[in-house]
Amino acid sequence: MLSVKTLGGAVATQARRPRGLVPEIVTALEADMQGGRLLPGDKLPTESALMARFEVSRTVVREAISRLQAAGRVETRHGIGTFVMAPRVAEPTFRIAPEDFATVADVISLLELRISLESEAASLAAQRRDEASLASMGAALAAFEAAIHADSDAVPSDFQFHMEVARATGNRHFADLMTYLGTMIIPRTRLKTAGDAPEGRLAYLERVHHEHESIYRAVRDRDAEAARAAMRTHLANSRERLRRAQTSENSAAH
């Protein structure tokens, strides 16, 4: 039998399993940490004390401590001892990668996220914009118009316009998120939305340009509600165009 003595002196008797001693010791020590009997910064008992407590060999104790080290629960300071570490903070899990744009449904999902974020960004931009940010938005508009008449998909200037709106908020987090997402937020980078538009590429892009102009005018006029509505309309129109395309594809498949 394996007797496991708790820090408080109580004894729990468990069946000795030749290959299960290390996990049992790891579990018991983690329970001590979670229960507050071993706090971050506390020094673990010596190897000899742990050998006596768990009635195991030095090799088993060292293997258990090695596993705790690998899990980031303890650290050994040579010549001093082994100390409990604070629990690791979970790493951020939010991520939008190119593979998340594999289908029309994926692109629609991102547009729904953009509608909530960029509509508010446009409203803030209208309230906070200065002449420099307005000039940058105007330059992006001009570049978009030039691109669509040069047989281009106008993706860089399209993204730049949305980026300048985000920057005009004066809140760096909006611009940081746009930078993180990059040009892949523009549906045309993932799908042939312009080429497949019923009205043709040029008419499609000119409509997008007019929607951008509506946003620009509202920001220029410092009309926060109009700017929010114009951005929402612009992105919602993109979403609806994609939904119609998705419905057509599904109908053709059946």
Side-chain angles (χ1 to χ4, degrees), residues 16-246:
R16 177 179 291 274
R17 296 193 298 274
R19 302 182 64 181
L21 298 178
V22 171
E24 288 176 9
I25 295 171
V26 169
T27 298
L29 291 174
E30 286 181 331
D32 289 339
M33 297 174 197
Q34 293 167 1
R37 294 180 292 275
L38 284 172
L39 299 174
D42 285 352
K43 185 177 180 180
L44 286 188
T46 64
E47 287 184 353
S48 298
L50 292 173
M51 289 165 59
R53 174 185 170 187
F54 295 110
E55 298 180 359
V56 294
S57 69
R58 189 179 304 275
T59 300
V60 172
V61 167
R62 288 181 174 176
E63 174 62 22
I65 291 176
S66 292
R67 293 196 187 184
L68 289 170
Q69 288 173 330
R73 302 305 304 271
V74 301
E75 64 174 351
T76 298
R77 303 171 192 169
H78 295 293
I80 302 177
T82 300
F83 296 82
V84 178
M85 297 177 66
R88 290 175 175 172
V89 177
E91 293 294 326
T93 57
F94 177 79
R95 179 175 179 267
I96 299 179
E99 57 267 26
D100 296 319
F101 297 88
T103 67
V104 174
D106 293 335
V107 178
I108 290 173
S109 294
L110 180 61
L111 276 169
E112 291 175 347
L113 173 65
R114 290 181 61 199
I115 287 170
S116 61
L117 291 172
E118 293 192 60
S119 296
E120 185 61 25
S123 174
L124 291 174
Q127 299 171 59
R128 301 172 181 176
R129 63 88 174 161
D130 56 23
E131 291 306 313
S133 59
L134 195 63
S136 295
M137 290 173 60
L141 273 180
F144 187 98
E145 185 174 25
I148 63 178
H149 291 291
D151 200 28
S152 164
D153 61 9
V155 166
S157 51
D158 193 339
F159 174 74
Q160 192 62 37
F161 176 77
H162 286 271
M163 173 63 84
E164 296 304 337
V165 173
R167 286 175 174 157
T169 66
N171 181 333
R172 68 175 180 83
H173 297 298
F174 283 101
D176 287 349
L177 180 58
M178 293 295 288
T179 299
Y180 168 74
L181 294 172
T183 57
M184 65 183 177
I185 67 170
I186 307 300
R188 295 191 301 286
T189 63
R190 317 305 299 176
L191 306 167
K192 296 187 296 181
T193 51
D196 292 342
E199 67 270 42
R201 185 197 71 85
L202 182 59
Y204 169 85
L205 292 177
E206 285 180 338
R207 182 167 57 183
V208 172
H209 179 58
H210 292 323
E211 291 171 0
H212 283 175
E213 286 183 319
S214 295
I215 298 166
Y216 172 82
R217 286 193 295 270
V219 172
R220 179 197 63 195
D221 296 342
R222 299 189 185 279
D223 189 333
E225 289 306 314
R228 179 186 286 113
M231 181 65 82
R232 176 173 290 276
T233 296
H234 169 52
L235 296 175
N237 283 346
S238 292
R239 180 183 61 185
E240 293 311 308
R241 285 191 286 266
L242 288 174
R243 281 179 173 169
R244 288 195 296 270
Q246 184 180 40

